[in-house]
Amino acid sequence: MTATRQESDHAAEAELRAERELKQHNARHRITERRRVIQKLRQALATNRLALHFQPIIALASGRACAAEVQLRLDHSRRGLIPAGICCRWPSNRT
């Protein structure tokens, strides 16, 4: 095997190692972030700071309410009502 081929193989192996380490780091970060979000939700439940709000869905043709969606919000002491999607973002499963 030539020196150039060996260098190329070592570079490819190093790149694969780096990619694997990055994926492991990202996986650990997602797990840590999910645990943080779950802890925030548990605290909000325990202190009665979650509120449900109903948002009507209006049919354009008739202008009448045809359904409703429920929105979960956190009642923050300083910032007021915050949608759960903002205060408790679930990290993506993509790496």
Side-chain angles (χ1 to χ4, degrees), residues 3-92:
T4 306
R5 174 94 188 256
Q6 277 184 323
E7 290 170 0
S8 177
D9 288 348
H10 288 307
E13 288 173 11
E15 189 175 327
L16 287 173
R17 266 195 312 276
E19 185 177 322
R20 192 170 35 245
E21 288 171 7
L22 180 61
K23 285 182 179 181
Q24 289 172 347
H25 170 76
N26 289 341
R28 283 191 302 269
H29 176 73
R30 283 193 312 275
I31 291 168
T32 300
E33 188 63 17
R34 282 182 189 262
R35 287 179 179 156
R36 187 188 66 77
V37 169
I38 290 169
Q39 182 61 33
K40 283 174 82 173
L41 287 172
R42 285 183 177 151
Q43 288 173 348
L45 278 170
T47 56
N48 202 25
R49 292 184 310 159
L50 293 178
L52 291 178
H53 290 258
F54 293 87
Q55 179 72 36
I57 298 173
I58 309 297
L60 292 177
S62 66
R64 299 174 69 187
C66 61
E69 67 179 7
V70 178
Q71 298 174 346
L72 180 66
R73 295 189 176 145
L74 171 68
D75 189 4
H76 192 276
S77 59
R78 290 188 315 257
R79 295 170 53 196
L81 291 174
I82 303 171
I86 292 174
C87 68
C88 300
R89 291 186 189 203
W90 287 104
S92 170

